[in-house]
Amino acid sequence: MKTQNLIVGQGLAGTLLYHHLTKRGARCMIIDDDHATCASAVAAGFVNPISGRRLILSDDFEKYYAEAEATYREMERTLREHLFEPKDIVRFYDSFTEQKNWSERKDRIKSAPYVKSFQPAGLYRRWFHDPYGSLVIKGHICHLHRLLSSFREQTGPDHIVPGAFDAARLEVTADGVAYRGIQAKRVIFCEGFRVTQNHYFAKLPWKHAKGEILLLEHEGPPLPDKIFNFGKWAYRASDKTVRLGTTFYWRTIDTEPSEEARREILARAETRIVFPYTIKQQYAGVRPVLLDLNPVAGLHPRHPRVGILNGFGAKGVLRGPHAARQLAEYLTEGRPIDRSINISRFNI
Ligand SMILES: Cc1cc2nc3c(=O)[nH]c(=O)nc-3n(C[C@H](O)[C@H](O)[C@H](O)COP(=O)(O)OP(=O)(O)OC[C@H]3O[C@@H](n4cnc5c(N)ncnc54)[C@H](O)[C@@H]3O)c2cc1C
């Protein structure tokens, strides 16, 4: 079998890269091990324009949002699936002081256009302890699980090869790469956090962050279809289930659910959630993160047949489309990749 680009990993990075390359007429094949360690399959998929307790507009939001939305809309048309939608983020105040500070600052700060309204205390009392009211932030959600599975179904077995990629079987020459009967011009690694086992790119300054999520089942009225934020977040997964997360751990990097994370999430939830629930599932994933918190895209400086797209961190939905497009344009048209995400910013 012949192709131009052999992509390893079909998480968000591999899927976006395939989209941008094929859109430009390049041929691709993807190898993926059935999402064995896929952060994208675990992630909530939120885009939140505002960060932190002081409700500051995230630096990268205005720079990347329009392109992200346009890319997911394009993929919606290709895959004929509903993937990306506005979703209000209800951010509960922690105190009257916080509420007062916001109303004093609200006309002066850059994040103000992304805040829809103030909501009085008690509006969500059937589900949450809500004594100080809340702000409604204009957020979005990308249904990542749906994106990955419909991409996989529709792209089909001729272009997606199931199974674990075995690095020992890869042959790299000056003219291209060969892997188990597949001949390609190059291989691009989109392996998420498992990049640290890849000898070409393991030396980049990685600082991955493990995150966990609980799936709760409950009786009574369904949670309103919004993202509730109280240090942790909760949102409706179905009429009877709620997803609750998340954690950031840098010490243990694996995809095993942990007691420590479960305790941390529940301790926070107990201060807010008033509906009775049972825990049905716990999921763990690893955000692939570089020390400077930017993605990385490009070809290896000494092995030009070997490339990478990775490091999407905690903002894959927002930042992934731009990074994937930049790499696709570089590979198909030779356009330079932005310095901030270019692999050339590192010495490897
Ligand atoms: C709990 C949690 C919550 C998150 N919430 C959000 C959020 O709300 N918004 C947001 O924007 N981001 C969020 N993220 C971050 C987001 O998940 C990542 O930025 C993004 O998914 C990374 O995508 P990726 O394709 O680089 O890696 P991955 O999604 O991990 O994909 C890598 C793929 O490659 C496969 N693979 C790896 N090695 C091999 C191999 N040798 N052979 C075959 N296949 C291989 C893996 O199994 C996987 O399918 C969250 C992450 C976590 C863990």
Side-chain angles (χ1 to χ4, degrees):
M1 272 173 295
K2 279 199 168 173
T3 189
Q4 288 169 314
N5 302 281
L6 178 62
I7 297 172
V8 180
Q10 192 242 324
L12 182 61
T15 305
L16 287 167
L17 182 63
Y18 185 102
H19 170 80
H20 276 298
L21 282 169
T22 51
K23 183 180 155 186
R24 287 165 178 78
R27 282 175 292 122
C28 303
M29 286 181 82
I30 300 195
I31 298 181
D32 187 274
D33 56 3
D34 205 16
H35 299 149
T37 56
C38 189
S40 315
V42 172
F46 303 151
V47 177
N48 181 355
I50 295 174
S51 58
R53 296 182 66 80
R54 287 178 53 77
L55 301 165
I56 304 290
L57 181 64
S58 301
D59 281 349
D60 44 12
F61 179 78
E62 290 192 314
K63 189 165 172 202
Y64 299 108
Y65 176 75
E67 175 163 7
E69 180 178 16
T71 306
Y72 297 120
R73 296 280 172 243
E74 220 168 65
M75 295 176 95
E76 285 183 331
R77 287 191 293 277
T78 314
L79 299 172
R80 294 179 302 281
E81 278 283 3
H82 191 48
L83 301 174
F84 191 71
E85 60 174 326
K87 188 80 72 188
D88 285 349
I89 302 171
V90 176
R91 196 221 182 256
F92 291 119
Y93 285 123
D94 278 340
S95 62
F96 288 119
T97 315
E98 201 188 26
Q99 189 199 93
K100 183 166 162 281
N101 287 348
W102 166 258
S103 46
E104 283 170 4
R105 288 168 64 234
K106 75 175 188 303
D107 299 323
R108 288 178 278 123
I109 61 175
K110 271 178 83 185
S111 57
Y114 298 97
V115 178
K116 270 177 150 170
S117 55
F118 165 73
Q119 299 186 128
L123 203 61
Y124 300 103
R125 69 168 75 83
R126 293 172 86 168
W127 302 276
F128 296 101
H129 181 55
D130 168 22
Y132 311 110
S134 50
L135 279 179
V136 182
I137 296 165
K138 296 180 196 172
H140 285 82
I141 189 167
C142 180
H143 299 286
L144 288 172
H145 203 272
R146 201 180 295 163
L147 169 66
L148 299 188
S149 54
S150 61
F151 173 87
R152 174 168 290 212
E153 271 164 34
Q154 296 184 38
T155 304
D158 288 350
H159 298 279
I160 300 194
V161 182
F165 179 84
D166 176 3
R169 307 280 298 266
L170 178 71
E171 286 168 50
V172 181
T173 65
D175 303 322
V177 300
Y179 180 77
R180 290 191 156 172
I182 303 171
Q183 316 265 319
K185 269 174 87 174
R186 60 181 78 88
V187 58
I188 308 286
F189 288 101
C190 302
E191 310 153 286
F193 81 98
R194 277 155 71 194
V195 63
T196 33
Q197 294 158 25
N198 179 327
H199 75 274
Y200 289 106
F201 300 109
K203 286 201 178 124
L204 292 173
W206 299 105
K207 195 171 192 285
H208 301 318
K210 180 173 177 180
E212 300 193 39
I213 290 181
L214 302 179
L215 181 72
L216 313 180
E217 191 172 73
H218 67 98
E219 294 300 319
L223 204 65
D225 191 12
K226 299 171 191 295
I227 300 160
F228 293 91
N229 183 314
F230 43 89
K232 300 296 176 204
W233 48 251
Y235 73 98
R236 182 167 88 186
S238 74
D239 284 358
K240 296 275 172 234
T241 57
V242 168
R243 277 162 76 96
L244 176 65
T246 180
T247 50
F248 279 81
Y249 292 136
W250 291 270
R251 267 173 291 123
T252 313
I253 295 301
D254 60 30
T255 52
E256 290 302 312
S258 72
E259 188 55 40
E260 185 185 12
R262 186 182 173 109
R263 264 191 266 116
E264 181 190 317
I265 296 170
L266 291 177
R268 188 72 191 175
E270 271 166 22
T271 65
R272 288 289 187 175
I273 292 183
V274 298
F275 57 85
Y277 59 80
T278 49
I279 300 169
K280 284 304 203 197
Q281 267 291 359
Q282 181 171 351
Y283 307 96
V286 179
R287 307 166 184 92
V289 188
L290 281 155
L291 264 185
D292 66 5
L293 305 182
N294 285 323
V296 60
L299 297 175
H300 193 287
R302 289 184 310 284
H303 304 280
R305 298 285 166 185
V306 180
I308 185 168
L309 180 65
N310 207 320
F312 286 5
K315 294 188 178 179
V317 174
L318 180 67
R319 300 221 36 196
H322 170 262
R325 186 211 9 113
Q326 288 253 321
L327 180 56
E329 285 179 352
Y330 172 67
L331 296 177
T332 55
E333 299 157 32
R335 281 209 210 173
I337 298 173
D338 283 356
R339 169 86 190 148
S340 62
I341 62 166
N342 199 320
I343 190 166
S344 65
R345 73 191 190 275
F346 299 114
N347 267 327
I348 54 168

